[in-house]
Amino acid sequence: MAQNVFDRRRTNGPEESTPFIYEEDISNPVRPQETCRKGRKPADIRPIFLQPGLINQAAGSAYIEMDRTKIACAIYGPRQSKNVAFHEKGRLNVEVKFAPYSCLTRRAPMRDAEDRSVAMALHQALLASVRLESFPKATIDIFITVIETDGMEGCVAAGSIAASTALAHAGIEVLGLVMSCSAAAMGSEVWLDPTDEESRLSNGTLVLSCMPALTTVTSVWQTGRMAPNQALSCMVASQNRCDDIHTIVAQALLLDNSKSNQENL
């Protein structure tokens, strides 16, 4: 009977192996034109649950839930920057961390390139709204924890809304609330707030961030192949939906402010 002999100088394979299990058959991929949205119309977004003041230890915080997208945001500062040269404007730091159980496949606890790309997109969306000239030589830290995600586009949009709400809850001077909405080009249609599965089936996706009170666009994050007319249609549809989201955020902040006033009395 032959014995298993392992070569200690090389990486040996496992003693037992199993075939790969594929989630779906890719031999006949579904085309975007043949898909039909389940449970929502193309212009509908997922229900939004927004709660400011979730973290008591932070200067400001917010929690947002959009179906399977759940994000918590905490604001710390403004605090004085140490060991840096004097600068007239303050600095805005954005850090994004995904929980290990936030995706279908378990994520490593260390930061990766996807965390940095989402943090850069959120930084660009929020930078134009914060009055950093009011905080010379100061730093505002924004920490975002993704508890569950259903697509990177929805994560960026929900993170922008949560961060802007947390900034307002912290009492930091802003020019306006930043609202964000994602869209996907599905053939000749535009689907708002796509899920991860819908984003994979689309030709391209777009995330628009804007300040509805000032009718100003702060950031546009586009991925995939998208014609110019499709990009414009996605931007117009997203901007119209941002006006509705702005009303939801304003009502949540007013409700939280009234509760705080009643507790102080």
Side-chain angles (χ1 to χ4, degrees):
M1 182 175 181
Q3 297 181 353
N4 293 331
V5 180
F6 292 94
D7 190 348
R8 299 181 181 275
R9 295 172 296 179
R10 294 177 175 84
T11 303
N12 297 277
E15 297 181 2
E16 298 180 357
S17 60
T18 56
F20 289 103
I21 299 177
Y22 296 95
E23 296 182 357
E24 57 183 358
D25 186 12
I26 61 175
S27 59
N28 296 318
V30 180
R31 297 181 180 180
Q33 292 81 357
E34 300 174 358
T35 60
C36 181
R37 200 166 202 182
K38 299 178 182 179
R40 283 191 291 159
K41 297 180 180 179
D44 292 342
I45 63 175
R46 287 169 284 188
I48 298 177
F49 172 79
L50 183 64
Q51 179 62 51
L54 179 67
I55 305 173
N56 297 329
Q57 295 82 2
S61 62
Y63 171 78
I64 188 171
E65 183 174 326
M66 300 176 66
D67 198 7
R68 292 176 56 189
T69 300
K70 303 176 180 64
I71 295 176
C73 177
I75 306 293
Y76 296 92
R79 58 180 179 82
Q80 184 178 2
S81 302
K82 298 181 180 179
N83 301 327
V84 295
F86 177 80
H87 45 89
E88 297 181 356
K89 289 186 177 182
R91 295 184 179 181
L92 187 68
N93 295 331
V94 180
E95 183 175 343
V96 178
K97 288 186 177 180
F98 286 83
Y101 47 82
S102 61
C103 304
L104 294 177
T105 58
R106 185 174 178 84
R107 299 178 65 99
M110 297 182 296
R111 296 185 63 189
D112 53 14
E114 197 168 35
D115 298 349
R116 297 186 183 93
S117 63
V118 174
M120 290 178 60
L122 293 175
H123 183 272
Q124 184 178 1
L126 299 169
L127 185 62
S129 65
V130 183
R131 295 192 60 187
L132 295 178
E133 64 276 6
S134 302
F135 312 102
K137 201 181 178 181
T139 302
I140 301 174
D141 295 319
I142 302 177
F143 294 96
I144 294 177
T145 302
V146 181
I147 303 173
E148 186 178 1
T149 179
D150 190 13
M152 289 298 105
E153 293 78 11
C155 181
V156 173
S160 301
I161 299 171
S164 183
T165 305
L167 286 171
H169 180 260
I172 296 175
E173 295 186 25
V174 294
L175 298 175
L177 295 173
V178 176
M179 301 296 105
S180 185
C181 184
S182 58
M186 304 293 291
S188 59
E189 294 183 345
V190 174
W191 288 8
L192 294 180
D193 193 17
T195 61
D196 188 23
E197 182 181 359
E198 293 171 351
S199 298
R200 291 198 302 265
L201 294 175
S202 65
N203 299 328
T205 58
L206 184 143
V207 181
L208 175 75
S209 301
C210 64
M211 290 185 286
L214 302 179
T215 63
T216 303
V217 175
T218 60
S219 174
V220 176
W221 193 47
Q222 190 264 331
T223 57
R225 301 182 62 180
M226 189 180 297
N229 58 340
Q230 290 179 327
L232 291 175
S233 300
C234 291
M235 292 176 65
V236 172
S238 299
Q239 190 169 9
N240 293 335
R241 190 58 62 185
C242 284
D243 297 338
D244 300 332
I245 301 174
H246 185 268
T247 304
I248 297 174
V249 175
Q251 291 177 354
L253 289 171
L254 288 174
L255 182 61
D256 180 76
N257 188 27
S258 62
K259 289 181 179 179
S260 300
N261 294 334
Q262 291 177 0
E263 293 176 357
N264 294 332
L265 293 177

